[in-house]
Amino acid sequence: MDQKQRSSFTYPPRTNSPQESFNPNFDYSQFNSQNRTESPSPYDTPSQFFNSQPREWDPHALLSNLSFLEQKIHQMQNIVREMIRTNEGQNCNISELTAQRQLLTTDLTSTIIQLISTAGSFLPTIRNSLLSGNAPITQLVSSIPSASSSLSPSTYQPNPSPDYEELTKGWGENGVEGADQIQIEDLDVKEGEDLGQDGDNLPIGSYEVLQLEKEEILAPHTHFCTICGKGFKRDANLRMHMRGHGDEYKSPAALAKPAREPGSQPMPVKRYSCPFVGCKRNKEHKNFQPLKTLLCVKNHYKRSHCEKSYTCSRCNTKKFSVIADLKTHEKHCGRDKWLCSCGTTFSRKDKLFGHVALFQGHTPALPSDEVKGKIEQINDKDDSGGVGYNNGDEYLDMKGGYFSPMANFDSFSFEGLDEFSRTTFDPTESSFSFLRSGSPDFARKDTGN
Amino acid sequence: MCDITAVLSVDLLAQVLDWLHDSRDLKSCRLVSRAFLQAERMHRRAIRPLRLGPLPVLLRRYVGSLLSLDLSSCPSLDDSALSLSIPCPNNLRSVSLSRATGITWRGLEVLVSVCPKIEAIDISHCVGFGDREAAAVAKACWLKELRIDKCLKVTDVGLAKVAVGCSRLEKLGIKWCFEISDIGIDLLVKKCLELRELDISYLKVGNESLRSIASLPKLEDLALVGCEYIDDEGLYFLSNGNSSLQSIDVSRCLNVTSVGLTTLVEGQQRLRKINAGNCSPVLTSTFVSKLCTLGDTLIILKLDKLQISASALEIVGKNCRNLLEIGLSKCNGVTDEGISWLVEGCTHLSTIDLTCCLLVTDKSLFSIAACCRGVKCLRLESCVLISEKGLDQIATCCTDLKEIDLTDCNVNDNALKCLSRCSELLVLKIGLCSGVSDIGLSFIGSNCSKLLELDLYRCTAITDDGLAAISNGCKRMKKLNLCYCNQISDIGLAHLQLEELSDLELRGMVRITSSGITAMAMGCRGLTQLDLKRCYSVDDAGIWALAQYTENLRQLTISYCTVTGLGLCHILGSLRCLQDVKMVHLSWVSIEGFELALRASCGKLKKVKLLGKLQDVLSTELLQNLQARGCRIRWVNKPLVFKG
């Protein structure tokens, strides 16, 4: 299958016909699974191309890739049209609709990834060509808006969903910003010198500022197999994967971590800039603070400039954009939750108390305030006594239960609350009546034991 | 018949009432006429009801003038009773619900809502109280004084509720609220800037709390008794705070040493009262010299269980001339020399505590008698070297002596003869002095008519005649301890006709029987506490007499008495003020007897001591109900014996 898909990518018009891959009556689960394995395949060519010939750039390969992408987009357009039609025509099955959406999502994602990899695979070549003042940049830049225009938000109006909005938004901005970034990147060194004065521990000019595009940052994988196109997060995982492609990848040299050449000069210190203009981590910011590693870039970008799409399944309120953050939160979500009267929750008591100290009138909420409040309301409704705050009913009940087995005893002990009633010892008083009624019974019990 | 109000108007009468302090006098005044009752009604500011029944009537009668209501000794008080009895428009400023374990947060909420002018609330020793109760109290936003001592379930959250709700708080006691931590104290200090008195004794808080507390601008009185996590660093924080502190109590803070106290005294030059008892035992000379810089402002100094040299006492005596009270209990190194130097300077001393200062002899008493003629309270327990000569000198010079503790001092009848010259004597403790006989007591009885408290614990030489002399002479006696005076019989007990006696201990008096108890109960109707433990001959008849005559009885110990289930049921059912009963080893009472008795007492009891084995045989419903009403049961781990 890999083999087939690889060839299909190289000659997209011939094999990837809309009827074949986007049959509306297709079994969706099957399609999805197929699509998943299919999606990495387009990387195949660019990365292979990039790896084998890093210094050159083949416009033909790019063109074929782009035309493949275009075709895919057309397919998607067809799906969407179909969706609009069915939606308007009849009350369609909701599950069917969601399945269609899922299909579209997967398809879109794969398209985006392909586009990113296409663009990303020859970034170094762009820089080279840019420095030499060549035309291809404009070619690339113009190609991106064209892709985005075909995915304009209006197309998705019938089924607005956050996923789509996010994606289309990203794509919409991309056209303009991408061009900007490329131009800015040109001025890297100069700007780095200017900005080095601010805040960073590193001396001026001692590091190089890199700025990745948001698509690169958001790409799930950074390492791709040159043979099958499968993506990996880590280089080591890719090397492990490569073993399956032949014995030549099993040699210790191929499996070893690519060491830096001993003779080469030490790598310049790299720092990263966030592509979001106006962010403090963006190199154009007055108090620019660079990000240290690629991971920092990723997490920063997701946390600060992406939608928080992961919701905690326990509390259903806290949202995160980085899945690791969600997992960290879920570990102690619901445990020792400290709640303020204003509704803010804290994981730690000292944080809550700091908050309470800061804001006038806020108090820590009692753990079960809401529950008790409800009970109280119910009680109040049930209370028909109406004498102020009356919950004597329950007490009376209790008392009844208490003394029901010996009613005469009850009367004995609770009679005569008057202050002056029992000053003298009077044998006719209730105490004796108690004795008479209770004593035979009592004596029997005593001896019986 | 002339109406007295024609001559004496009600407000004039009220002014006369200002001079009456004794409750009995007020009562007889009340009974003169309606006009007097009216005057008394207008005049009365405080009330402390002993029974629940007349509470609504009483409160309605006094509603206009009443400012202070003490419900701490009111048994079976619960939410509904509380909310029904407090009339709505009232001027109540202060309410005490100490040990009112039947109350819940609902009752407190009602209380706070119907008393809009309330400024002081006391809910101490309600061990079940927690954050919810604290939150209810916190709704009284005008509150100035709050005691929540030993509300064991109050945490930082409850304290925060109080701190936020009652920001005008001036006095706060949170002793024994073990759950409160530094975080809570910090918030309290940030929210309640008016605090003047703070008691955080026995809390598990550390130096961080003291760092917070030091920032309080008006703090005058700080009690840190038994805060084991506080050390010198904390006192250093305090010394750098606002110098408004006037009283500090760091007793039993085991990690506080002289170094910390020195820095504290350096920073806080307005200190008037220092209690450093039971701290780290070595007292350095630098601390003593710093103490002298306080000079005349210092009035109370307690250094219990520290090592104090004679020279240190000399320095204190020379510099702190206004000292009124000194505590040197269990101090090592206190000698006659030190005492003489101390009293030479501190001539105003009125209270001198020399408990367990084993080296003190008559010489000390001579110098005290010579210098401190105004001494009112002398505590000389276990000062075995003193004799009647020293006491004679004291009795001659210190005519104002009101309290003297001679427990275990081996004094004899001659010493009592000397002491009987102190006609102002109110408290006399001569426990464990087996040399005291009826002759000595007859001196006391004939001269010390004002005596309020007498401790004759294990004075085994005393017989019925001695007791007769005392009870004939000291008619105002409130507290009497006759434990293990086993020569006293029913005849002696019959002499006890003391109307004001409230506290009587008869433990281990094996010769007394029910007839003696009956005679005593008829004579001492005001009894609130009675200990009959190991009075083996007391049976149901005595118990019945108690139930009949001593209606105010609140605490009762009848362990080892020959009481049957019948008697127990009767007394627990009929005594309406009874709150605390210790009934261990009542081997004549069956399980049903216990069950019935406890049911009869339901709602009133707050503390019960029972044999542990009963835990399994008494019905769980009963025990649950008792505990739901706020009763604590102490189980004694002893075998269950049944002789019935």
Side-chain angles (χ1 to χ4, degrees), chain B residues 27-62:
Chain B
K27 187 174 182 181
S28 35
C29 191
R30 211 159 48 218
L31 295 173
V32 171
S33 71
R34 277 183 191 282
F36 272 71
L37 184 67
Q38 177 68 23
E40 204 266 346
R41 188 179 299 177
M42 282 171 61
H43 179 258
R44 186 173 274 270
R45 298 281 175 268
I47 191 170
R48 183 167 158 268
L50 296 177
R51 279 189 272 285
L52 191 60
L55 186 61
V57 184
L58 276 177
L59 287 177
R60 246 173 282 138
R61 184 191 296 167
Y62 292 112

mmCIF file of all heavy atoms in Angstrom, chain B residues 27-62:
data_model
loop_
_atom_site.group_PDB
_atom_site.id
_atom_site.type_symbol
_atom_site.label_atom_id
_atom_site.label_comp_id
_atom_site.label_asym_id
_atom_site.label_seq_id
_atom_site.Cartn_x
_atom_site.Cartn_y
_atom_site.Cartn_z
ATOM 1 N N LYS B 27 -32.066 39.761 95.058
ATOM 2 C CA LYS B 27 -33.267 38.948 95.027
ATOM 3 C C LYS B 27 -34.260 39.411 96.087
ATOM 4 O O LYS B 27 -35.459 39.578 95.824
ATOM 5 C CB LYS B 27 -32.911 37.481 95.245
ATOM 6 C CG LYS B 27 -34.082 36.557 95.049
ATOM 7 C CD LYS B 27 -33.671 35.106 95.117
ATOM 8 C CE LYS B 27 -34.875 34.216 94.861
ATOM 9 N NZ LYS B 27 -34.516 32.807 94.947
ATOM 10 N N SER B 28 -33.751 39.661 97.294
ATOM 11 C CA SER B 28 -34.677 40.111 98.349
ATOM 12 C C SER B 28 -35.238 41.490 98.012
ATOM 13 O O SER B 28 -36.392 41.784 98.335
ATOM 14 C CB SER B 28 -33.985 40.094 99.717
ATOM 15 O OG SER B 28 -32.649 40.433 99.608
ATOM 16 N N CYS B 29 -34.429 42.281 97.345
ATOM 17 C CA CYS B 29 -34.890 43.596 96.922
ATOM 18 C C CYS B 29 -36.049 43.453 95.923
ATOM 19 O O CYS B 29 -37.048 44.170 95.986
ATOM 20 C CB CYS B 29 -33.724 44.327 96.300
ATOM 21 S SG CYS B 29 -34.048 46.039 96.006
ATOM 22 N N ARG B 30 -35.882 42.502 95.021
ATOM 23 C CA ARG B 30 -36.873 42.258 93.981
ATOM 24 C C ARG B 30 -38.225 41.869 94.572
ATOM 25 O O ARG B 30 -39.271 42.143 94.013
ATOM 26 C CB ARG B 30 -36.349 41.114 93.116
ATOM 27 C CG ARG B 30 -36.757 41.166 91.694
ATOM 28 C CD ARG B 30 -35.836 40.350 90.819
ATOM 29 N NE ARG B 30 -35.548 39.003 91.301
ATOM 30 C CZ ARG B 30 -34.350 38.427 91.192
ATOM 31 N NH1 ARG B 30 -33.351 39.089 90.652
ATOM 32 N NH2 ARG B 30 -34.142 37.209 91.628
ATOM 33 N N LEU B 31 -38.140 41.210 95.700
ATOM 34 C CA LEU B 31 -39.361 40.657 96.285
ATOM 35 C C LEU B 31 -40.116 41.662 97.153
ATOM 36 O O LEU B 31 -41.158 41.334 97.714
ATOM 37 C CB LEU B 31 -39.020 39.406 97.101
ATOM 38 C CG LEU B 31 -38.471 38.239 96.282
ATOM 39 C CD1 LEU B 31 -38.014 37.116 97.195
ATOM 40 C CD2 LEU B 31 -39.513 37.726 95.309
ATOM 41 N N VAL B 32 -39.610 42.888 97.298
ATOM 42 C CA VAL B 32 -40.262 43.876 98.179
ATOM 43 C C VAL B 32 -41.629 44.269 97.624
ATOM 44 O O VAL B 32 -42.657 44.092 98.258
ATOM 45 C CB VAL B 32 -39.366 45.117 98.353
ATOM 46 C CG1 VAL B 32 -40.126 46.224 99.062
ATOM 47 C CG2 VAL B 32 -38.130 44.739 99.134
ATOM 48 N N SER B 33 -41.632 44.778 96.406
ATOM 49 C CA SER B 33 -42.908 45.197 95.823
ATOM 50 C C SER B 33 -42.773 45.246 94.311
ATOM 51 O O SER B 33 -41.684 45.064 93.764
ATOM 52 C CB SER B 33 -43.302 46.584 96.343
ATOM 53 O OG SER B 33 -42.435 47.542 95.764
ATOM 54 N N ARG B 34 -43.887 45.531 93.667
ATOM 55 C CA ARG B 34 -43.849 45.642 92.215
ATOM 56 C C ARG B 34 -42.931 46.775 91.771
ATOM 57 O O ARG B 34 -42.226 46.659 90.779
ATOM 58 C CB ARG B 34 -45.264 45.905 91.689
ATOM 59 C CG ARG B 34 -46.065 44.649 91.549
ATOM 60 C CD ARG B 34 -47.422 44.946 90.950
ATOM 61 N NE ARG B 34 -48.277 43.786 91.064
ATOM 62 C CZ ARG B 34 -48.191 42.737 90.254
ATOM 63 N NH1 ARG B 34 -47.307 42.738 89.286
ATOM 64 N NH2 ARG B 34 -48.971 41.697 90.416
ATOM 65 N N ALA B 35 -42.956 47.846 92.534
ATOM 66 C CA ALA B 35 -42.112 48.996 92.175
ATOM 67 C C ALA B 35 -40.639 48.622 92.241
ATOM 68 O O ALA B 35 -39.850 48.970 91.357
ATOM 69 C CB ALA B 35 -42.409 50.150 93.119
ATOM 70 N N PHE B 36 -40.292 47.867 93.249
ATOM 71 C CA PHE B 36 -38.899 47.434 93.371
ATOM 72 C C PHE B 36 -38.532 46.489 92.231
ATOM 73 O O PHE B 36 -37.433 46.552 91.685
ATOM 74 C CB PHE B 36 -38.675 46.747 94.721
ATOM 75 C CG PHE B 36 -38.299 47.692 95.816
ATOM 76 C CD1 PHE B 36 -39.226 48.579 96.330
ATOM 77 C CD2 PHE B 36 -37.001 47.706 96.318
ATOM 78 C CE1 PHE B 36 -38.873 49.469 97.322
ATOM 79 C CE2 PHE B 36 -36.639 48.593 97.311
ATOM 80 C CZ PHE B 36 -37.587 49.478 97.821
ATOM 81 N N LEU B 37 -39.476 45.633 91.933
ATOM 82 C CA LEU B 37 -39.238 44.709 90.819
ATOM 83 C C LEU B 37 -39.023 45.492 89.527
ATOM 84 O O LEU B 37 -38.110 45.190 88.747
ATOM 85 C CB LEU B 37 -40.436 43.764 90.674
ATOM 86 C CG LEU B 37 -40.296 42.680 89.620
ATOM 87 C CD1 LEU B 37 -39.224 41.694 90.002
ATOM 88 C CD2 LEU B 37 -41.613 41.948 89.430
ATOM 89 N N GLN B 38 -39.840 46.532 89.355
ATOM 90 C CA GLN B 38 -39.715 47.373 88.169
ATOM 91 C C GLN B 38 -38.339 48.049 88.130
ATOM 92 O O GLN B 38 -37.665 48.068 87.096
ATOM 93 C CB GLN B 38 -40.841 48.414 88.200
ATOM 94 C CG GLN B 38 -40.805 49.421 87.065
ATOM 95 C CD GLN B 38 -41.119 48.768 85.744
ATOM 96 O OE1 GLN B 38 -41.748 47.713 85.708
ATOM 97 N NE2 GLN B 38 -40.638 49.351 84.663
ATOM 98 N N ALA B 39 -37.930 48.553 89.282
ATOM 99 C CA ALA B 39 -36.629 49.224 89.361
ATOM 100 C C ALA B 39 -35.505 48.236 89.051
ATOM 101 O O ALA B 39 -34.571 48.543 88.296
ATOM 102 C CB ALA B 39 -36.437 49.816 90.746
ATOM 103 N N GLU B 40 -35.648 47.048 89.625
ATOM 104 C CA GLU B 40 -34.603 46.047 89.395
ATOM 105 C C GLU B 40 -34.561 45.659 87.924
ATOM 106 O O GLU B 40 -33.501 45.448 87.345
ATOM 107 C CB GLU B 40 -34.886 44.827 90.278
ATOM 108 C CG GLU B 40 -33.671 44.003 90.589
ATOM 109 C CD GLU B 40 -33.491 42.854 89.638
ATOM 110 O OE1 GLU B 40 -34.438 42.528 88.889
ATOM 111 O OE2 GLU B 40 -32.398 42.280 89.634
ATOM 112 N N ARG B 41 -35.739 45.610 87.342
ATOM 113 C CA ARG B 41 -35.847 45.260 85.922
ATOM 114 C C ARG B 41 -35.133 46.291 85.059
ATOM 115 O O ARG B 41 -34.418 45.964 84.124
ATOM 116 C CB ARG B 41 -37.324 45.203 85.567
ATOM 117 C CG ARG B 41 -37.623 44.671 84.216
ATOM 118 C CD ARG B 41 -39.110 44.651 83.987
ATOM 119 N NE ARG B 41 -39.804 43.785 84.943
ATOM 120 C CZ ARG B 41 -41.122 43.654 84.988
ATOM 121 N NH1 ARG B 41 -41.887 44.336 84.166
ATOM 122 N NH2 ARG B 41 -41.675 42.849 85.858
ATOM 123 N N MET B 42 -35.312 47.535 85.405
ATOM 124 C CA MET B 42 -34.666 48.594 84.625
ATOM 125 C C MET B 42 -33.167 48.622 84.853
ATOM 126 O O MET B 42 -32.390 49.056 84.011
ATOM 127 C CB MET B 42 -35.256 49.952 85.001
ATOM 128 C CG MET B 42 -36.606 50.221 84.378
ATOM 129 S SD MET B 42 -37.323 51.695 85.062
ATOM 130 C CE MET B 42 -36.101 52.911 84.584
ATOM 131 N N HIS B 43 -32.801 48.179 86.035
ATOM 132 C CA HIS B 43 -31.404 48.323 86.436
ATOM 133 C C HIS B 43 -30.528 47.185 85.914
ATOM 134 O O HIS B 43 -29.344 47.349 85.672
ATOM 135 C CB HIS B 43 -31.352 48.343 87.965
ATOM 136 C CG HIS B 43 -29.981 48.454 88.513
ATOM 137 N ND1 HIS B 43 -29.290 47.382 89.020
ATOM 138 C CD2 HIS B 43 -29.147 49.514 88.606
ATOM 139 C CE1 HIS B 43 -28.100 47.782 89.406
ATOM 140 N NE2 HIS B 43 -27.981 49.063 89.170
ATOM 141 N N ARG B 44 -31.141 46.062 85.724
ATOM 142 C CA ARG B 44 -30.347 44.874 85.426
ATOM 143 C C ARG B 44 -29.722 44.944 84.028
ATOM 144 O O ARG B 44 -30.378 45.225 83.042
ATOM 145 C CB ARG B 44 -31.207 43.627 85.552
ATOM 146 C CG ARG B 44 -30.440 42.332 85.398
ATOM 147 C CD ARG B 44 -31.320 41.156 85.702
ATOM 148 N NE ARG B 44 -31.345 40.837 87.131
ATOM 149 C CZ ARG B 44 -30.486 39.986 87.689
ATOM 150 N NH1 ARG B 44 -29.556 39.410 86.979
ATOM 151 N NH2 ARG B 44 -30.560 39.723 88.968
ATOM 152 N N ARG B 45 -28.446 44.654 83.952
ATOM 153 C CA ARG B 45 -27.727 44.676 82.682
ATOM 154 C C ARG B 45 -27.326 43.277 82.211
ATOM 155 O O ARG B 45 -27.145 43.048 81.033
ATOM 156 C CB ARG B 45 -26.463 45.533 82.818
ATOM 157 C CG ARG B 45 -26.727 46.976 83.159
ATOM 158 C CD ARG B 45 -27.156 47.744 81.917
ATOM 159 N NE ARG B 45 -27.517 49.113 82.272
ATOM 160 C CZ ARG B 45 -28.746 49.501 82.585
ATOM 161 N NH1 ARG B 45 -29.730 48.629 82.573
ATOM 162 N NH2 ARG B 45 -28.994 50.751 82.911
ATOM 163 N N ALA B 46 -27.124 42.407 83.188
ATOM 164 C CA ALA B 46 -26.624 41.076 82.828
ATOM 165 C C ALA B 46 -27.491 40.004 83.456
ATOM 166 O O ALA B 46 -28.062 40.199 84.525
ATOM 167 C CB ALA B 46 -25.188 40.913 83.296
ATOM 168 N N ILE B 47 -27.576 38.880 82.766
ATOM 169 C CA ILE B 47 -28.384 37.789 83.291
ATOM 170 C C ILE B 47 -27.706 36.469 82.949
ATOM 171 O O ILE B 47 -27.094 36.323 81.891
ATOM 172 C CB ILE B 47 -29.821 37.872 82.729
ATOM 173 C CG1 ILE B 47 -30.745 36.904 83.466
ATOM 174 C CG2 ILE B 47 -29.859 37.574 81.255
ATOM 175 C CD1 ILE B 47 -32.188 37.143 83.090
ATOM 176 N N ARG B 48 -27.801 35.533 83.911
ATOM 177 C CA ARG B 48 -27.182 34.228 83.684
ATOM 178 C C ARG B 48 -28.152 33.146 84.124
ATOM 179 O O ARG B 48 -28.104 32.681 85.261
ATOM 180 C CB ARG B 48 -25.879 34.129 84.483
ATOM 181 C CG ARG B 48 -25.122 32.848 84.274
ATOM 182 C CD ARG B 48 -23.705 32.973 84.831
ATOM 183 N NE ARG B 48 -23.140 31.669 85.105
ATOM 184 C CZ ARG B 48 -23.224 31.064 86.287
ATOM 185 N NH1 ARG B 48 -23.823 31.653 87.294
ATOM 186 N NH2 ARG B 48 -22.690 29.876 86.460
ATOM 187 N N PRO B 49 -29.090 32.783 83.254
ATOM 188 C CA PRO B 49 -30.106 31.813 83.644
ATOM 189 C C PRO B 49 -29.516 30.416 83.837
ATOM 190 O O PRO B 49 -28.590 30.018 83.129
ATOM 191 C CB PRO B 49 -31.098 31.830 82.488
ATOM 192 C CG PRO B 49 -30.410 32.478 81.368
ATOM 193 C CD PRO B 49 -29.236 33.208 81.871
ATOM 194 N N LEU B 50 -30.070 29.717 84.811
ATOM 195 C CA LEU B 50 -29.586 28.361 85.098
ATOM 196 C C LEU B 50 -30.502 27.299 84.515
ATOM 197 O O LEU B 50 -30.148 26.142 84.460
ATOM 198 C CB LEU B 50 -29.490 28.150 86.609
ATOM 199 C CG LEU B 50 -28.487 29.017 87.347
ATOM 200 C CD1 LEU B 50 -28.552 28.747 88.839
ATOM 201 C CD2 LEU B 50 -27.084 28.768 86.839
ATOM 202 N N ARG B 51 -31.699 27.705 84.140
ATOM 203 C CA ARG B 51 -32.645 26.731 83.594
ATOM 204 C C ARG B 51 -33.245 27.254 82.317
ATOM 205 O O ARG B 51 -33.333 28.455 82.095
ATOM 206 C CB ARG B 51 -33.732 26.447 84.616
ATOM 207 C CG ARG B 51 -33.289 25.458 85.658
ATOM 208 C CD ARG B 51 -34.451 25.036 86.513
ATOM 209 N NE ARG B 51 -34.646 25.913 87.649
ATOM 210 C CZ ARG B 51 -33.879 25.924 88.732
ATOM 211 N NH1 ARG B 51 -32.855 25.121 88.821
ATOM 212 N NH2 ARG B 51 -34.137 26.735 89.728
ATOM 213 N N LEU B 52 -33.662 26.331 81.516
ATOM 214 C CA LEU B 52 -34.187 26.695 80.203
ATOM 215 C C LEU B 52 -35.631 27.187 80.285
ATOM 216 O O LEU B 52 -36.018 28.111 79.581
ATOM 217 C CB LEU B 52 -34.111 25.469 79.289
ATOM 218 C CG LEU B 52 -34.369 25.689 77.818
ATOM 219 C CD1 LEU B 52 -33.363 26.652 77.261
ATOM 220 C CD2 LEU B 52 -34.294 24.359 77.095
ATOM 221 N N GLY B 53 -36.400 26.575 81.195
ATOM 222 C CA GLY B 53 -37.833 26.837 81.254
ATOM 223 C C GLY B 53 -38.208 28.308 81.321
ATOM 224 O O GLY B 53 -38.926 28.814 80.461
ATOM 225 N N PRO B 54 -37.717 29.020 82.340
ATOM 226 C CA PRO B 54 -38.150 30.417 82.489
ATOM 227 C C PRO B 54 -37.414 31.394 81.554
ATOM 228 O O PRO B 54 -37.644 32.589 81.652
ATOM 229 C CB PRO B 54 -37.822 30.731 83.947
ATOM 230 C CG PRO B 54 -36.744 29.790 84.310
ATOM 231 C CD PRO B 54 -36.870 28.588 83.456
ATOM 232 N N LEU B 55 -36.595 30.887 80.695
ATOM 233 C CA LEU B 55 -35.752 31.769 79.878
ATOM 234 C C LEU B 55 -36.550 32.776 79.044
ATOM 235 O O LEU B 55 -36.261 33.970 79.094
ATOM 236 C CB LEU B 55 -34.829 30.916 78.997
ATOM 237 C CG LEU B 55 -33.792 31.669 78.181
ATOM 238 C CD1 LEU B 55 -32.852 32.429 79.085
ATOM 239 C CD2 LEU B 55 -32.990 30.710 77.326
ATOM 240 N N PRO B 56 -37.573 32.340 78.289
ATOM 241 C CA PRO B 56 -38.301 33.319 77.476
ATOM 242 C C PRO B 56 -38.962 34.409 78.327
ATOM 243 O O PRO B 56 -38.908 35.589 77.978
ATOM 244 C CB PRO B 56 -39.361 32.476 76.758
ATOM 245 C CG PRO B 56 -38.851 31.092 76.815
ATOM 246 C CD PRO B 56 -38.076 30.984 78.067
ATOM 247 N N VAL B 57 -39.520 33.994 79.481
ATOM 248 C CA VAL B 57 -40.174 34.958 80.364
ATOM 249 C C VAL B 57 -39.161 35.966 80.878
ATOM 250 O O VAL B 57 -39.378 37.179 80.852
ATOM 251 C CB VAL B 57 -40.835 34.203 81.541
ATOM 252 C CG1 VAL B 57 -41.598 35.181 82.417
ATOM 253 C CG2 VAL B 57 -41.739 33.112 81.024
ATOM 254 N N LEU B 58 -38.028 35.442 81.344
ATOM 255 C CA LEU B 58 -36.977 36.299 81.888
ATOM 256 C C LEU B 58 -36.513 37.305 80.852
ATOM 257 O O LEU B 58 -36.386 38.496 81.125
ATOM 258 C CB LEU B 58 -35.777 35.438 82.311
ATOM 259 C CG LEU B 58 -35.839 34.802 83.687
ATOM 260 C CD1 LEU B 58 -34.618 33.931 83.888
ATOM 261 C CD2 LEU B 58 -35.891 35.880 84.748
ATOM 262 N N LEU B 59 -36.256 36.815 79.666
ATOM 263 C CA LEU B 59 -35.722 37.699 78.641
ATOM 264 C C LEU B 59 -36.742 38.755 78.246
ATOM 265 O O LEU B 59 -36.391 39.894 77.991
ATOM 266 C CB LEU B 59 -35.289 36.885 77.416
ATOM 267 C CG LEU B 59 -34.018 36.086 77.629
ATOM 268 C CD1 LEU B 59 -33.695 35.262 76.410
ATOM 269 C CD2 LEU B 59 -32.850 37.010 77.942
ATOM 270 N N ARG B 60 -38.003 38.380 78.236
ATOM 271 C CA ARG B 60 -39.021 39.369 77.897
ATOM 272 C C ARG B 60 -39.120 40.430 79.003
ATOM 273 O O ARG B 60 -39.319 41.591 78.737
ATOM 274 C CB ARG B 60 -40.372 38.674 77.683
ATOM 275 C CG ARG B 60 -40.838 38.793 76.230
ATOM 276 C CD ARG B 60 -42.076 37.977 75.988
ATOM 277 N NE ARG B 60 -41.758 36.557 75.848
ATOM 278 C CZ ARG B 60 -42.473 35.581 76.399
ATOM 279 N NH1 ARG B 60 -43.520 35.852 77.138
ATOM 280 N NH2 ARG B 60 -42.125 34.328 76.204
ATOM 281 N N ARG B 61 -38.932 39.969 80.243
ATOM 282 C CA ARG B 61 -39.023 40.904 81.353
ATOM 283 C C ARG B 61 -37.898 41.938 81.305
ATOM 284 O O ARG B 61 -38.079 43.104 81.570
ATOM 285 C CB ARG B 61 -38.966 40.130 82.668
ATOM 286 C CG ARG B 61 -39.146 41.007 83.893
ATOM 287 C CD ARG B 61 -38.816 40.259 85.152
ATOM 288 N NE ARG B 61 -39.707 39.139 85.403
ATOM 289 C CZ ARG B 61 -39.455 38.199 86.313
ATOM 290 N NH1 ARG B 61 -38.338 38.228 87.002
ATOM 291 N NH2 ARG B 61 -40.302 37.218 86.502
ATOM 292 N N TYR B 62 -36.703 41.480 80.923
ATOM 293 C CA TYR B 62 -35.545 42.361 81.017
ATOM 294 C C TYR B 62 -35.110 42.953 79.682
ATOM 295 O O TYR B 62 -34.059 43.558 79.580
ATOM 296 C CB TYR B 62 -34.356 41.605 81.619
ATOM 297 C CG TYR B 62 -34.541 41.245 83.061
ATOM 298 C CD1 TYR B 62 -34.677 39.933 83.458
ATOM 299 C CD2 TYR B 62 -34.596 42.241 84.032
ATOM 300 C CE1 TYR B 62 -34.850 39.608 84.793
ATOM 301 C CE2 TYR B 62 -34.771 41.928 85.360
ATOM 302 C CZ TYR B 62 -34.894 40.607 85.735
ATOM 303 O OH TYR B 62 -35.062 40.300 87.047
#
